[in-house]
Amino acid sequence: MNQKNKLLTIGQFAAMHGINKKTLMWYDEIGLFQPVSINPENGYRYYNYYQSPILETILLLRELDVSIPEIHDFMKNRSADRLKCLLEDKITELDLRIAHLQAVRTTLSAHQQNMSTLLTMDLSQISIIERKERCLITVDVRPDISFEEEVELITAETEKYHLGRLHDASYGSMIPVSSLLAGNYNDYSKLFIEIPFLTCQEGLHIAPNGKYLRAFHKGDWDKLPQRYEEIFAFARKHHLTLHGFSYEMGINENVIDCIEDYIVQIEIPIDG
């Protein structure tokens, strides 16, 4: 007897495909996938080898989160063209999900690095670091713009890039180095949003690659100008030229309860 024509019990067929036999019973009940024969005396369901590809197609579509009605419709009118289109749609969805997970992983890694820095950092230290080029979404701000309006502007920008949640990105402020050197410490001109894996495109701000001065400030923002004076003194001592913008970003908002514990990371591009 041809083994491919041999009947298999529901238990055997389910085990062969790595599923529970209750799944096969449910598929039968809803008319999605039925046994090749049913024993009229005891109601036992039987399947054969030739049904395996059909079941595997159903299982694949279920794994891709295709709904039961969609699978029903496809199974009634199966064709290579329809399966190709269906799989293309699901591959696109999967690629978007993978990109999102990669972005979340990058964000989590950044938070992990921030926590490691918090545990070992010397707040008085000013260091020189290397930075890769980054493309940032920016929002122009002015002194007369309220906090509520700034939030609306940020929300509008993030919606353009399909940002799911705030934790998917890093946020900060930008102030021109020219303003800092002129003593205008409140002359913030932009808010920035950094989204992992955002590709450079027209309209985005490019934070250049190269060397940066990095420093930290803890506590009241009123004392931030004093920290900048210390940064300028360090730059003069080491014959470094500051340029572009100072990028400020909080690194411990999620582990503090009061503003006195707030730590700002300051990074400024340098030449020299």
Side-chain angles (χ1 to χ4, degrees), residues 38 41 50 58 69-70 96 103 115-116 126 136 164-165 167 179 192 205 224 246 260 266:
I38 298 177
E41 296 180 3
Y50 295 104
I58 293 172
E70 286 180 291
L96 290 173
M115 295 307 103
S116 297
I126 299 174
L136 307 176
R165 294 177 175 81
H167 68 239
S179 294
F192 73 80
H205 171 82
L224 196 53
S246 173
E260 289 77 13
I266 303 166

Side-chain angles (χ1 to χ4, degrees), residues 97-267:
R97 200 182 316 166
I98 290 171
H100 171 71
L101 290 174
Q102 288 175 329
V104 170
R105 189 187 190 287
T106 297
T107 303
L108 291 177
S109 295
H111 286 318
Q112 181 189 41
Q113 182 60 50
N114 286 343
M115 295 307 103
S116 297
T117 300
L118 286 172
L119 294 172
T120 59
M121 71 192 311
D122 177 359
L123 287 175
S124 65
Q125 183 181 22
I126 299 174
S127 57
I128 299 175
I129 63 165
E130 289 282 345
R131 268 290 204 174
K132 293 181 179 180
E133 181 179 280
R134 295 174 293 157
C135 293
L136 307 176
I137 302 167
T138 58
V139 175
D140 293 330
V141 294
R142 304 185 310 272
D144 59 324
I145 293 180
S146 68
F147 176 74
E148 289 75 16
E149 289 174 311
E150 288 182 357
V151 171
E152 289 179 3
L153 289 170
I154 291 174
T155 301
E157 283 300 309
T158 54
E159 285 178 351
K160 291 180 184 178
Y161 298 90
H162 309 289
L163 181 64
R165 294 177 175 81
L166 291 179
H167 68 239
D168 290 342
S170 299
Y171 296 79
S173 304
M174 296 166 56
I175 183 169
V177 168
S178 57
S179 294
L180 292 171
L181 293 174
N184 300 321
Y185 296 106
N186 293 315
D187 191 22
Y188 289 93
S189 60
K190 298 177 185 292
L191 301 176
F192 73 80
I193 309 161
E194 182 176 2
I195 302 177
F197 301 107
L198 180 65
T199 55
C200 289
Q201 50 194 282
E202 187 176 353
L204 296 181
H205 171 82
I206 297 177
N209 70 312
K211 293 181 180 180
Y212 284 67
L213 275 190
R214 173 185 281 174
F216 299 93
H217 171 72
K218 182 178 180 180
D220 198 328
W221 277 295
D222 290 341
K223 296 180 180 179
L224 196 53
Q226 180 181 336
R227 188 55 169 155
Y228 273 113
E229 291 296 335
E230 294 169 354
I231 292 171
F232 299 153
F234 180 93
R236 287 192 297 269
K237 180 180 178 181
H238 294 85
H239 308 290
L240 305 172
T241 301
L242 308 177
H243 63 88
F245 290 87
S246 173
Y247 302 89
E248 297 180 6
M249 184 176 66
I251 64 171
N252 67 334
E253 298 103 320
N254 50 359
V255 293
I256 61 170
D257 295 315
C258 57
I259 192 61
E260 289 77 13
D261 294 324
Y262 188 83
I263 296 176
V264 177
Q265 174 183 277
I266 303 166
E267 293 183 347

Side-chain angles (χ1 to χ4, degrees), residues 34-52:
Q34 298 171 319
V36 71
S37 68
I38 298 177
N39 188 313
E41 296 180 3
N42 53 29
Y44 288 176
R45 298 171 172 86
Y46 293 94
Y47 301 82
N48 67 26
Y49 170 85
Y50 295 104
Q51 292 180 286
S52 287

Side-chain angles (χ1 to χ4, degrees), residues 60-95:
L60 171 64
L61 296 178
R62 289 295 291 156
E63 192 170 343
L64 294 173
D65 293 326
V66 180
S67 69
I68 291 296
E70 286 180 291
I71 297 176
H72 255 300
D73 182 62
F74 170 75
M75 297 305 291
K76 289 178 182 177
N77 301 283
R78 281 182 296 153
S79 71
D81 183 61
R82 292 197 68 203
L83 182 58
K84 174 179 174 290
C85 292
L86 185 59
L87 292 180
E88 283 177 349
D89 289 342
K90 291 304 172 180
I91 288 171
T92 299
E93 291 178 15
L94 191 59
D95 286 342

